Amino acid sequence: MLTEPAIAPTPAAPAALPSLVGMDRAALGEALGSIGVPERQRRMRAAQLWHWIYLRGATSFDEMTNVAKDMRSALAAAFVISRPEIVTEQISEDGTRKWLLRFPSRGAGRPVEIETVYIPEEGRGTLCLSSQVGCTLSCSFCHTGTQKLVRNLTAEEIVGQILLARDRLGDHPKATPIDGAVPSTGRLVSNVVMMGMGEPLYNFDNVKGALHIAADGDGLSLSKRRITLSTSGVVPMIPKAGDEIGVTLAISLHAVRDELRDELVPLNRKYPIAELLAACRAYPGLSNARRITFEYVMLKGVNDTLADARELVRLLSGIPAKINLIPFNPWPGNTYECSDWSQIEKFAEVVNDAGYASPIRTPRGRDILAACGQLKSESERLRIRERMALEAMIAG
Ligand code: SAH
Ligand code: SF4
């Protein structure tokens, strides 16, 4: 059952004032300098702001009780602590939540919209973030790929998705969680994956800035192992991501032969499988405790034979890896079908027998189009006819 509860509108940041969200500590120090805070105080003041913004989830300077009143007014006159504007919030019958969020155009013409998804599971809660509005890459099975790239999201907008989710879930320390099911990490949002809209390695600097903030131990404190960056295979950026971001890597592989991968993931024509896997082998810090996740969407009669499974095992030999089998999530206008469940299980068995963990990802939030590859800006909203077609697909 789909519910769209009434929500208190979050105020969009007035365009005139810059937001402190998404700035690193050095930029925060400069911002403080710009309102006359003497240099010797800036580090301490920046640490205070950091604590309030990222640990406590403050959205106004008034909440910062250990900051002097005149300083709070000076900050409020010059800056905001922004949140994305919520257009809709949907809750799936399985508890998955999807937010359609709106950001200012920043030169892109109209305001832009993206989607963020929260997936509660036993023992953990995963937040799936978008990195771009649309995508340049047009993978043939992906809904986002049908929407052309509008623009990159800024670090502020990427971190803003985490802050907003914590607001809505009551997941800041000292807040009241929405229900009692808090994972062992003590937070509802215990994991973050860059698996929403867009190709994160085509928006490297902003993604890097945002993930450093997410992993910062004095603030959001998500361990780098609990942050995953998924790429369709931008090979030249993989070593840089390893050195400069250092989070868990996921690769959207989806095929074991170049001919087929060229078709499914057209970026393969530029960076074929052998080059992609060489970059994976060289990814820093790999061990059995730190594995690369390979994503493999299960497409009926396309990439799901047992010969494919055996070839997959052969290709990955020597790489500490986990293989996520993703049942294809349908969307209107697409002709692929999801592999039969029995075939997915047989495929998983071949991969498992070779010693690789190969969880089959249960589709989550399909009823609200929140599952992998179904995201798209609502500005490209589904027409009623398309939605009915989709509902029929899901029911079948
Ligand atoms: N652009 C990045 C991250 C976002 S996509 C990437 O491609 O890796 C997140 C994952 O969902 C990718 O593995 C993608 O291939 C997969 N995906 C896309 N469309 C899908 C669909 N319709 N069904 C299942 N998985 C899909
Ligand atoms: Fe873009 Fe990833 Fe979708 Fe491909 S699968 S079109 S890279 S979002």
Side-chain angles (χ1 to χ4, degrees), residues 115-148:
E115 296 187 313
T116 303
V117 179
Y118 174 69
I119 308 146
E121 284 171 293
E122 193 63 39
R124 69 173 172 186
T126 303
L127 190 67
C128 179
L129 306 181
S130 292
S131 57
Q132 299 183 304
V133 186
C135 187
T136 48
L137 289 174
S138 320
C139 299
S140 57
F141 52 88
C142 173
H143 203 195
T144 307
T146 64
Q147 184 189 350
K148 62 177 196 286

Side-chain angles (χ1 to χ4, degrees), residues 201 204-205 208 234-247 283-284:
L201 294 187
F204 189 87
D205 291 341
K208 173 180 160 183
V234 187
V235 169
M237 300 304 280
I238 290 177
K240 201 168 143 73
D243 292 338
E244 297 180 25
I245 309 181
V247 296
Y283 194 71

Side-chain angles (χ1 to χ4, degrees), residues 18-290:
S19 175
L20 297 183
V21 172
M23 289 185 182
D24 62 15
R25 286 166 198 273
L28 263 186
E30 278 169 35
L32 287 163
S34 74
I35 58 163
V37 176
E39 183 139 21
R40 61 178 192 286
Q41 281 186 21
R42 284 183 208 159
R43 261 180 79 150
M44 183 272 286
R45 293 284 179 212
Q48 276 181 326
L49 286 173
W50 197 273
H51 172 91
W52 282 106
I53 297 172
Y54 296 115
L55 193 77
R56 306 287 287 266
T59 50
S60 91
F61 297 103
D62 288 343
E63 295 168 58
M64 304 183 176
T65 43
N66 61 350
V67 177
K69 263 201 174 140
D70 53 348
M71 168 75 83
R72 282 189 249 157
S73 330
L75 284 165
F79 303 106
V80 289
I81 305 168
S82 60
R83 288 292 189 268
E85 181 189 346
I86 301 177
V87 181
T88 58
E89 174 178 85
Q90 291 174 286
I91 306 177
S92 159
E93 54 196 9
D94 67 16
T96 300
R97 285 171 185 240
K98 182 171 86 166
W99 295 280
L100 175 67
L101 305 177
R102 184 177 292 148
F103 296 110
S105 69
R106 300 190 206 276
R110 281 184 293 156
V112 296
E113 292 175 353
I114 55 102
E115 296 187 313
T116 303
V117 179
Y118 174 69
I119 308 146
E121 284 171 293
E122 193 63 39
R124 69 173 172 186
T126 303
L127 190 67
C128 179
L129 306 181
S130 292
S131 57
Q132 299 183 304
V133 186
C135 187
T136 48
L137 289 174
S138 320
C139 299
S140 57
F141 52 88
C142 173
H143 203 195
T144 307
T146 64
Q147 184 189 350
K148 62 177 196 286
L149 180 75
V150 181
R151 72 165 171 83
N152 284 333
L153 294 181
T154 62
E156 171 196 339
E157 292 163 342
I158 298 168
V159 175
Q161 296 171 60
I162 307 178
L163 294 175
L164 186 279
R166 283 203 162 158
D167 292 348
R168 296 296 305 152
L169 296 168
D171 193 34
H172 294 294
K174 307 221 162 159
T176 315
I178 42 162
D179 56 35
V182 178
S184 54
T185 56
R187 281 288 170 318
L188 289 171
V189 177
S190 62
N191 293 54
V192 159
V193 294
M194 298 294 313
M195 292 189 186
M197 294 163 61
E199 169 48 59
L201 294 187
Y202 276 163
N203 184 15
F204 189 87
D205 291 341
N206 290 323
V207 167
K208 173 180 160 183
L211 294 185
H212 279 176
I213 292 174
D216 188 290
D218 296 326
L220 291 166
S221 291
L222 287 149
S223 120
K224 285 192 174 178
R225 286 171 191 226
R226 290 181 174 271
I227 301 177
T228 301
L229 185 153
S230 173
T231 177
S232 55
V234 187
V235 169
M237 300 304 280
I238 290 177
K240 201 168 143 73
D243 292 338
E244 297 180 25
I245 309 181
V247 296
T248 302
L249 184 67
I251 301 285
S252 294
L253 190 62
H254 307 315
V256 291
R257 287 171 286 112
D258 280 321
E259 201 192 2
L260 177 61
R261 194 163 188 272
D262 284 351
E263 200 182 297
L264 299 179
V265 184
L267 185 65
N268 194 67
R269 293 182 203 140
K270 210 162 166 191
Y271 307 119
I273 294 173
E275 283 179 33
L276 176 58
L277 295 182
C280 291
R281 286 201 162 80
Y283 194 71
L286 286 188
S287 68
N288 262 344
R290 284 206 70 192

Side-chain angles (χ1 to χ4, degrees), residues 298 304-306 339-349:
M298 298 300 297
D304 64 349
T305 66
L306 299 189
S339 307
D340 294 332
W341 201 256
S342 59
Q343 186 63 16
I344 301 181
E345 281 180 340
K346 281 187 217 146
F347 194 106
E349 206 178 300

